[in-house]
Each structure stands twice: as C-alpha cells, then as structure tokens.
Amino acid sequence: MYSEERQSLSDVTLMVKESLAGSTAERGGSRTSNISDAVTLTVSERPKPTVTIKPDRHAFGDTVTLRCDIYGEGFTSWRYNWYKDGLVSVFSELQEHTFSPVTESDAGKYSCYGTERGGSRYSHRSDAVTLRVSDPKAEVRVSPQKWLREGDPVTLICEVNGSSTGWTFSWYTVVSDYSGHYQLLSDSSRGAGGNYTVSSAALKHTGVYVCRAETDTPVIYTTFSNTQPLWVTGVSPPVSLIISPSRTQHFTSVSLSLSCKDQRNSDGWRVRRYTDSGQVEDCSSSLWSSQTRGSTCTNSYTSTADTGVYWCQSESGENYHPVNITVHSGVILESPVHPVTEGDTLTLRCLYQFTTPPNLRADFYKDGSLIQNQTTEMIISNVSKSHEGFYYCKHPERGESPKSWISVTGEISQISVLHTLSSVLTVCPYLLVTVVLIFKCYRMRVTSVEEEETSV
C-alpha cells in the first residue's frame, strides 16, 4: 500500500514540473521571459470500495451475493478484482458475484478493488468482510412434553438451522446409537412438512426419535438430528419393568436388577435404556450390565452415568413401560416405581448411602414447597389426583435428594365402572325372564278375552 501511494505522489510531482517548465527562463543574463498562462492542477484521491453480503443472515444451501461498490469523481467504468482470504482470485470480474447455493467451502474473508476500463487508474482495496456458512443441521423438539399418557396428543417438530422452508423431512427411531442404526418410520411421510403429529399417543409410540432433511435442487442432505425421546405410560401395560430394589432412585456402587415380566412369555422381552448422554443401549450388548437369564438384566456396579429411562422392548420392536431411574451418590428418595392408584397409601422415605440404617429424619417437599418436616417417613393416606407432582427430601447436613415424579392413576373409577357393568350383566338374565313372563301373561289374557267374545 505504501509503494502505491508513493508512486501516485511521484506522478503528481512529474506533472507539476512539466506544467511549470518554461514559465520563466534566464538566458545568460538577468533577462527573463514573460510568465506563462496559468494551468489547473487537479489531484483526485483514489476511491476505496466497500463489499456487502446479501442477505445478512444465511445458511448452507441459501443463495448469497457479494457486491463491490466503488464511488469516486471522474471515474466511469470499472473492472472488478476479488480477493479471498488475502489471495487474488479470478472467480469473477463483475461487480456482483452470486453463490447458489452457498456451501461451506465458500466461507472466508472477501475484499475487492477496481481498475479503470480504458484507463490507468485504480482504486484502493476494500476492507475484508467475512462470509460465514454453517452446515445444514436438523434439530428436533417435542410439544407439549416428552412424558405422555395414553391418548395424549404430541407433535415432534424438525427444523433446519431454525427454518423449515424448502426442506423435505424423514423420521426415524433409534435402534442403536453405537451402530448408528436408524429405522425409517412406516408413516414417515406424515412429517414431510417438518411436523410429525400423533393425535392419540399409544404405548407403542414409546421410543427415541430423530429426523433428517433434504432438498431436491440442489441435492443436499443434513446429518441426523439430535435424539428426542417420547415416553408413553398406561394403566395396564402388557409387560411390567420390575426393578430391584423397587424404587426409582438408587445409590452408586451397588447392584441393580431389572427384568420384564408378562403373563405369557417373559423371555421374549429385553431391557433397553436411554441415558442422559443421549445413548440408546441394549442390556445384552453393552458394557454397563449383563443379561443373566430370560429378560433379567443385572448392573453389578452402578454409577451416575446409569441415570436414564429404562423400558422393555418386544422381539417385534415394540416399546413398553418406561421408567425414569436416577443413580445418585448421597441422599436419595425412596418412592414407588409404578403409578399410585387413587385411594391407596403413598409412603416416602429419605435414605443416605453411608449410614446404617440408611433412613434419615428429613424434610419432604412437593413441587418445591415444604409439606412435612423432620420425619423418617412421609405417609399420605387416600391418595388423590392432587398428590401428583415432583417430590424430594432434604437433610440439613447430608444434603437433598434428586426429584422424582409421583404419578397417580384413576384406576378405582375404572374398576367401579367395570363393577357396575358386571352387575348389570348379572341382572340382565332375570330381567329378560321377567319380560318374557309378562309378555306371555299378556298374550294369555288377550286370547281369553277373544274366546269370550266369540262365544257370545
């Protein structure tokens, strides 16, 4: 840049000397010539271009335009020269250059300068502007929540870098994170617009989902999205996840046993889990546990990394009975694994790993509010729907436990309805016999009256 400025000043000096030559002269004496006519010397500053990027915000696959603007007096037409990352580039001599679509390789710092067409003048180089291009990334989220009851509506939403425009979406369930195996949903087309909606969730919808997006022109594929689990619980699942010890919170460095039980064939099920790290793992093919007999899975040495959701999967791939299990070092809350039925009794205890016995005298909280203090166990008789919520316990010296969700089901009302229907069905035969007898009596009476009228 310094040498360019110096050359410009030299040119100006030369022009001044040529203009003044002969204006005055001395010929071997004191005589001088007349003063020449005045001339105007105009020195134009070289203009400095500016580079703009349109649009300001863009992503992988968008159409992006670079524009070089040069404003200067006395300049008419420019040939444009572009630099990328400080190196001369000949990808364009035009004022605008468009990337369609823009890719990650186009990212960099761009600057320009101009040379006068049909002349010898040229501009300064512009300041560099940075073109940032992000990879197309699909992200999935759930609305309204990932824990559902049978019959609840739910929607999985897939977006690419915050926008779903111009993309076609496919939906998969995660078979195994370690093998990178994803299974395309048979009704994946329902998510073509970015939303995969289930109007009435069923137990079979329990699982871990991912999405992927693509465009036709040009052909661009995103990587698989983040994982999004859906957990659907029901009153009477076809299989139960049995946990020993029977609670949702567990200590570290102890043994934990899980098994799937049903009335038909317990050997046809396997235990799976989804950990906080986002991994989907199978008991029979992982390092965290071993499958001993049938569907029983044993973790002989628990750690906090074992925290996650565990469920049972059938041989055909259906998922049932998810349970949220927390492994914690210190104070834990002893709470039931299965939902509590309305009218039953709920008992909660606060346990500490490093005392014998482990029971602590502690305070108990529900949804952040203190409900009972300084007791070894909290007992709630005649549980109702209002008792549903997040519970935890807190000891002034040992600390507090993680939170556990206590679910309450209205199974008693269902039993009452079934009992009523059963009673009605039991009474129905007697009602039917009564109606038949009344009808026969009526027919006999009508026949008797008709005979009397005939004889008369």
Side-chain angles (χ1 to χ4, degrees), residues 68-328:
C68 182
D69 287 302
I70 305 175
Y71 302 101
E73 295 182 2
F75 296 91
T76 56
S77 180
W78 294 98
R79 177 183 292 107
Y80 296 88
N81 302 272
W82 288 93
Y83 290 82
K84 179 184 178 184
D85 297 330
L87 302 176
V88 178
S89 177
V90 292
F91 62 80
S92 178
E93 290 185 351
L94 300 177
Q95 184 179 16
E96 289 188 350
H97 180 72
T98 299
F99 302 98
S100 183
V102 69
T103 64
E104 190 178 14
S105 63
D106 298 322
K109 293 184 177 181
Y110 289 85
S111 58
C112 70
Y113 78 94
T115 56
E116 188 180 21
R117 294 183 186 272
S120 60
R121 294 176 294 181
Y122 53 91
S123 73
H124 291 288
R125 189 193 299 186
S126 71
D127 293 331
V129 296
T130 302
L131 173 62
R132 294 181 174 87
V133 182
S134 58
D135 287 331
K137 294 181 179 179
E139 296 183 357
V140 62
R141 55 188 174 89
V142 64
S143 177
Q145 58 188 6
K146 62 183 179 181
W147 282 94
L148 308 163
R149 286 193 175 93
E150 283 184 285
D152 288 346
V154 64
T155 298
L156 294 170
I157 303 164
C158 189
E159 296 177 329
V160 179
N161 294 354
S163 173
S164 297
T165 305
W167 296 91
T168 300
F169 298 87
S170 300
W171 292 88
Y172 303 77
T173 54
V174 180
V175 177
S176 173
D177 270 357
Y178 287 125
S179 64
H181 186 192
Y182 303 107
Q183 182 175 348
L184 181 68
L185 295 178
S186 59
D187 56 352
S188 178
S189 59
R190 286 199 297 169
N195 290 352
Y196 182 84
T197 300
V198 177
S199 58
S200 180
L203 295 176
K204 65 179 181 180
H205 290 119
T206 286
V208 180
Y209 295 79
V210 296
C211 68
R212 191 183 187 188
E214 63 181 277
T215 59
D216 293 332
T217 51
V219 178
I220 300 173
Y221 293 92
T222 68
T223 56
F224 288 100
S225 70
N226 58 302
T227 56
Q228 176 59 61
L230 284 184
W231 312 121
V232 185
T233 59
V235 176
S236 301
V239 62
S240 295
L241 179 63
I242 308 300
I243 302 173
S244 180
S246 183
R247 54 178 183 251
T248 57
Q249 295 185 18
H250 298 268
F251 296 125
T252 57
S253 308
V254 298
S255 178
L256 175 64
S257 176
L258 306 100
S259 60
C260 299
K261 299 290 185 183
D262 69 357
Q263 297 179 352
R264 296 168 299 174
N265 180 20
S266 296
D267 294 340
W269 300 89
R270 57 179 176 172
V271 177
R272 309 201 77 197
R273 74 175 186 178
Y274 177 79
T275 61
D276 287 350
S277 63
Q279 297 290 328
V280 176
E281 299 173 313
D282 206 346
C283 174
S284 60
S285 58
S286 64
L287 300 176
W288 60 272
S289 60
S290 60
Q291 189 163 338
T292 54
R293 53 184 177 79
S295 62
T296 300
C297 183
T298 302
N299 185 345
S300 57
Y301 198 80
T302 56
S303 70
T304 55
D306 295 316
T307 296
V309 177
Y310 294 70
W311 71 92
C312 297
Q313 187 178 75
S314 68
E315 291 179 328
S316 59
E318 294 179 317
N319 301 316
Y320 297 102
H321 203 174
V323 175
N324 196 2
I325 293 178
T326 302
V327 179
H328 183 67

Side-chain angles (χ1 to χ4, degrees), residues 5 24 279:
E5 296 289 350
T24 60
Q279 297 290 328

Side-chain angles (χ1 to χ4, degrees), residues 41-60:
L41 175 64
T42 302
V43 180
S44 298
E45 183 181 359
R46 285 194 296 155
K48 186 175 183 177
T50 57
V51 176
T52 55
I53 303 176
K54 295 182 180 181
D56 295 335
R57 302 180 66 179
H58 42 268
F60 188 103

Side-chain angles (χ1 to χ4, degrees), residues 345-415:
T345 299
L346 171 64
T347 302
L348 302 175
R349 298 182 181 87
C350 199
L351 308 179
Y352 185 59
Q353 186 170 9
F354 304 107
T355 59
T356 304
N359 297 50
L360 291 178
R361 181 174 293 275
D363 299 332
F364 289 83
Y365 294 79
K366 174 183 179 290
D367 297 328
S369 300
L370 179 66
I371 53 176
Q372 194 166 334
N373 62 348
Q374 292 302 298
T375 181
T376 54
E377 63 180 18
M378 187 183 73
I379 300 175
I380 301 177
S381 302
N382 195 21
V383 171
S384 66
K385 207 66 174 171
S386 64
H387 292 111
E388 197 169 66
F390 284 101
Y391 290 79
Y392 68 96
C393 64
K394 185 176 182 179
H395 187 270
E397 297 176 359
R398 309 298 186 187
E400 68 180 54
S401 72
K403 297 177 177 63
S404 279
W405 173 263
I406 304 298
S407 180
V408 179
T409 64
E411 192 174 2
I412 281 190
S413 60
Q414 296 178 11
I415 293 175

